[in-house]
Amino acid sequence: MGRSQVLLKGQQEYSSDLLPTNQEARTWKTGHFFSIWMGSVHNVPSYVTIGGFFALGLSIWQVLLIIIISSILLSAMMVLNGHAGSKHGIPFSILLRTSYGRKGAHFPGVLRGVIAAIMWFGLQTYAGSLAVSILLGKFWPSFLTLGGSFTFLGLTLPTLLSFLLFWAINVLFIFAGMKRLGKLTKIVTPFVFIVFGGMSIWSINLAGGITPILNYQAKGFQGNSFFMLMTCISAIMATWVAQILSVSDVTRFSRSNREQSIGQIAGLLTTYLLFAVASISIIVGSEIAFGVPIWNVLEVVERFDNQFAIILSLLTICLSTLTVNIVGNIIPAGYQLATLFPNRLTFKTGALTATIAGIVIMPWKLMENPTSIFMFLNIVGGMLSPVIGVMLTHYFFICKKEINVEELYSLNGSNQYAYGINIPAMLATILAGFISLLGSFVPKLAPLSSISWFTGILLAVLFYLLLFNSSKLVEFRSLKQN
């Protein structure tokens, strides 16, 4: 996409991808937002998380309550943080400047838009490629034995080819544009309901009907049940922290705030209702039938005895993984890199750079040591949840939903911040993030880390309001003395 001309006096030249979305490009309707996050709900990590809840000893009704509360909370967060995008048409990387300042925005922007996005892109691409391998093996059985014992950086030839193929499909959508992505999400929607609904029916039949599942006896757990529920809700919300932060990257294409609000609320609540039924029936049903719970949906698919059902399921899993990878990882990384290097990169070249980095980090190697991966991601998540608190506090309580868009794009943007950094926002983010993660190293503070999503956001709101108001009071007294 070509570069824009200088629009304002003293304004830096930007790729047109970063400029406020014009009215002609605001084409996303309620239906697009209804389906956009389905891939983020129905994937392997999500089912493993629910399986972990049962492993803790929670009952079916407790797990169901956790999922329902999480979906309501998630819908609210998506709509609230998506308001600025739909109203002002600006991407997340530019929106950050309102609360952090022109230079200060680089810190949370790089954490979310570059590091977390590239890591998740690589991991999701590798996970999707596993489904691709199974799918290709159904049409071409000898594909799975190509190359014999040959390996490249730990990958067999079939796995390497599947990874590169799925990577290439992701890259194609960088150049296809948001309209085609919107169409893809609407195509995937009915198949998600069919496939995961079918898995639920299959699991229920395996278990001998719905009654054995409803009569499932939980192992039980020791401790405060309320705190355990909060911990599990925090775990679900932590997996969404990146998408919540950068949701304006997609809501900026909404025809109105009403459409993104209705679409996201209806879509997330409906999808999570299906997810609740599917995850509980698949995990509990498989445990009743086989004696061992199956948490990996790919293992569920491989147990199907119908070739058509297997192929349809694998295609759906591939497409749902593709949509979440594009929306949750490629788009934020592309915009952030274009913001960091506005004179050198556009959204497309930035996104392409991020996808190449997703290969370089060799995600299949990282997955060989899951402890270090998830420790890293937990640290990034613990630092990102306070950013949500700061962004929402600044936009709704300090800005009152009004943004000077021209100032955001000016060379001297966010002039109210010394040196282009909003110190209260930075301090609030660092302090809240530090405290929310401190429990990982200080046993007595472990409860704070176990609900790090809540800890990070709530402390960030409190710290930011205190620090921001204190700084304004100091400025007022200084001006009064002068």
Side-chain angles (χ1 to χ4, degrees):
M1 193 174 291
R3 299 187 182 281
S4 64
Q5 298 297 317
V6 175
L7 298 181
L8 303 169
K9 185 177 179 180
Q11 183 181 11
Q12 184 174 351
E13 186 178 2
Y14 285 87
S15 160
S16 57
D17 304 296
L18 296 177
L19 297 177
T21 310
N22 57 45
Q23 203 57 44
E24 291 74 24
R26 290 173 174 257
T27 58
W28 279 44
K29 304 176 184 177
T30 301
H32 295 105
F33 291 101
F34 179 87
S35 56
I36 190 66
W37 301 117
M38 284 192 173
S40 299
V41 176
H42 291 282
N43 54 46
V44 175
S46 295
Y47 281 85
V48 171
T49 301
I50 301 303
F53 296 164
F54 283 110
L56 288 173
L58 297 179
S59 69
I60 286 177
W61 304 112
Q62 287 172 321
V63 171
L64 181 61
L65 180 62
I66 288 167
I67 294 174
I68 291 173
I69 293 175
S70 298
S71 66
I72 294 171
L73 182 57
L74 175 61
S75 301
M77 298 302 291
M78 284 292 195
V79 170
L80 289 173
N81 217 33
H83 186 280
S86 62
K87 181 176 181 178
H88 301 284
I90 54 178
F92 163 69
S93 56
I94 299 296
L95 177 62
L96 275 176
R97 295 179 178 180
T98 63
S99 49
Y100 286 88
R102 182 183 182 83
K103 294 181 180 178
H106 293 332
F107 171 62
V110 168
L111 275 179
R112 191 282 173 254
V114 180
I115 298 176
I118 290 173
M119 288 289 292
W120 274 115
F121 170 78
L123 293 172
Q124 290 278 17
T125 302
Y126 180 63
S129 71
L130 297 178
V132 172
S133 290
I134 299 172
L135 183 62
L136 289 175
K138 294 298 177 183
F139 289 100
W140 179 17
S142 59
F143 169 78
L144 299 177
T145 58
L146 284 178
S149 59
F150 167 84
T151 59
F152 178 75
L153 297 175
L155 290 181
T156 63
L157 183 58
T159 306
L160 175 63
L161 292 175
S162 296
F163 178 81
L164 292 175
L165 174 60
F166 194 63
W167 176 88
I169 295 172
N170 278 269
V171 171
L172 284 176
F173 273 89
I174 295 174
F175 301 94
M178 291 298 290
K179 285 187 178 180
R180 287 183 174 83
L181 174 60
K183 291 179 180 178
L184 174 65
T185 61
K186 294 184 79 172
I187 292 172
V188 172
T189 301
F191 291 110
V192 167
F193 281 97
I194 292 170
V195 168
F196 288 95
M199 286 186 189
S200 301
I201 295 171
W202 177 80
S203 300
I204 291 170
N205 286 335
L206 273 181
I210 192 68
T211 302
I213 292 178
L214 294 177
N215 291 333
Y216 172 80
Q217 293 295 316
K219 299 177 180 68
F221 64 91
Q222 305 241 336
N224 186 292
S225 59
F226 175 77
F227 188 78
M228 177 61 73
L229 293 177
M230 292 292 289
T231 300
C232 293
I233 293 170
S234 179
I236 291 178
M237 296 303 296
T239 64
W240 284 91
V241 65
Q243 289 96 322
I244 294 170
L245 272 176
S246 57
V247 66
S248 60
D249 283 338
V250 291
T251 58
R252 65 189 294 233
F253 295 98
S254 177
R255 297 199 306 180
S256 68
N257 185 61
R258 182 175 180 274
E259 295 209 50
Q260 72 93 1
S261 299
I262 294 175
Q264 292 203 93
I265 291 172
L268 285 167
L269 293 182
T270 303
T271 305
Y272 258 109
L273 179 61
L274 171 62
F275 174 72
V277 173
S279 60
I280 290 173
S281 60
I282 289 171
I283 293 169
V284 175
S286 61
E287 182 172 358
I288 293 171
F290 305 115
V292 178
I294 300 176
W295 299 345
N296 189 330
V297 289
L298 292 177
E299 291 183 27
V300 173
V301 172
E302 287 191 292
R303 290 176 182 262
F304 287 173
D305 56 7
N306 184 287
Q307 191 80 348
F308 175 76
I310 293 173
I311 293 171
L312 179 63
S313 300
L314 290 171
L315 279 172
T316 302
I317 292 170
C318 287
L319 290 175
S320 63
T321 303
L322 178 66
T323 57
V324 68
N325 221 7
I326 296 169
V327 176
N329 302 317
I330 294 178
I331 290 177
Y335 281 134
Q336 188 59 46
L337 287 171
T339 302
L340 290 172
F341 308 102
N343 293 318
R344 296 183 180 181
L345 297 176
T346 64
F347 161 73
K348 291 180 179 178
T349 54
L352 183 59
T353 301
T355 60
I356 293 172
I359 297 178
V360 173
I361 65 171
M362 295 188 293
W364 56 91
K365 285 288 186 183
L366 295 174
M367 289 181 72
E368 290 177 356
N369 187 0
T371 303
S372 61
I373 298 170
F374 288 108
M375 181 178 292
F376 170 80
L377 292 175
N378 283 336
I379 291 173
V380 173
M383 288 301 295
L384 285 179
S385 59
V387 180
I388 297 175
V390 169
M391 288 179 69
L392 291 176
T393 303
H394 189 88
Y395 182 68
F396 286 99
F397 296 106
I398 295 173
C399 288
K400 308 293 185 184
K401 298 185 286 189
E402 296 299 328
I403 295 176
N404 186 334
V405 176
E406 291 185 356
E407 184 183 79
L408 292 180
Y409 290 88
S410 169
L411 282 171
N412 300 312
S414 298
N415 289 315
Q416 70 270 33
Y417 305 134
Y419 306 106
I421 300 175
N422 183 3
I423 300 299
M426 293 291 286
L427 288 176
T429 302
I430 293 171
L431 285 172
F434 175 75
I435 294 173
S436 67
L437 294 172
L438 193 59
S440 301
F441 311 98
V442 181
K444 289 184 178 180
L445 296 177
L448 291 178
S449 292
S450 64
I451 55 169
S452 61
W453 189 86
F454 291 104
T455 303
I457 289 180
L458 294 176
L459 286 180
V461 171
L462 177 63
F463 288 154
Y464 186 48
L465 286 175
L466 288 173
L467 292 168
F468 187 87
N469 289 328
S470 296
S471 67
K472 288 300 178 183
L473 182 60
V474 170
E475 289 178 15
F476 175 76
R477 287 176 177 175
S478 178
L479 289 172
K480 192 174 181 181
Q481 290 175 356
N482 294 331

